[in-house]
Amino acid sequence: MFEWIADLVVYQWIGLTKGEHLTEALHFFIYDVMKILFLLTVIIYTVSIIRSFFPPERTKKILSHKREFVGNIVAALLGVVTPFCSCSAVPMFIGLVESGVPLGVTFSFLISSPMVNEVALVMLFGLFGWKIAAIYMATGLTVAVVGGMMIGRAKMEDQVAEYVYQIKLPDTEIESLTWQQRHDYALQYTKDILKKVWIYVIVAIAIGGLIHGYAPEDFLVRYAGPDNLFAVPLAVLIGIPLYSNAAGTIPIVHVLMEKGMAMGTVLAFMMAVTALSVPEMIILKQVLKPKLIGVFVGIMAVTITFVGYLFNAIL
């Protein structure tokens, strides 16, 4: 249906000729904006219903005193369906540590939650297909589990700010919701997310449409193709200082991949942008000492780079 509407607008209403640069760019923009906004609405609502079963209080209770490995896996999976962003990093971190969650398990949650979220998965599914979305989710969870375990094995509890261990939060009763309340929560959360990301979606797809219509074929093959040995670490280094979300990143890298960027390089870049943003590190500095932040960034950069090389080799 979206293809039909895009054809109707571009070819019949506006009267552009198929195959021209402007036609291709405009068709890409109209088709992808409709498709992505529709998918975002449906999937965010569905995930919000699931999230209503996992409020922060329940997440802390589930992760409390979980042992290594099993705890890392559970934490990474909970991170996918639990609301978390840079602004909530400090209170969420304090709540997990105060509840007795091991440091490595806490980091598995902190890594997976912003990196493997429903917006990223919807955008990947809509633009790349379910296989790439599944690969991204699997590798993102793997990075979260491995990264959390490595930090846990490093025994760096002394690198957490002392005041974090002294905080005693009151026990909060977990409220049981009716299905009407879950629907109301999911509807409101979907509206809130769409209000936050729609402008990123429009701008990113517009940029992607321009690249799609006007950038020369094979332009990126020379710089970021599978044959460039340094493309993956370069993409990670470029992604770390950037601050964006999946809505603003994925439409652009989708077109860059069409123009020749290797899949592993694309995945590595997206992971670096979403999981290692500088603003998040600044916020985490309130609860972590510089040495632990440095170890966290180093482990994440190495594991993300490894994922990039792995998928460049097998895809």
Side-chain angles (χ1 to χ4, degrees), residues 84-127:
F84 168 71
C85 62
S86 299
C87 56
S88 59
V90 170
M92 195 68 193
F93 182 86
I94 292 174
L96 291 174
V97 172
E98 187 273 339
S99 299
V101 180
L103 190 61
V105 175
T106 299
F107 267 93
S108 287
F109 179 84
L110 292 180
I111 294 168
S112 76
S113 191
M115 186 166 61
V116 193
N117 58 60
E118 79 277 13
V119 175
L121 295 177
V122 167
M123 303 287 285
L124 286 167
F125 172 74
L127 294 173

Side-chain angles (χ1 to χ4, degrees), residues 12 15 62 78 109 151 178 193 238 244 247-248 280 283-284 292 312:
Q12 296 187 31
I62 293 174
L78 282 173
F109 179 84
I151 290 174
T178 65
I193 292 295
I238 293 173
S244 181
E280 184 175 340
I283 293 173
L284 283 175
L292 180 51
N312 277 351

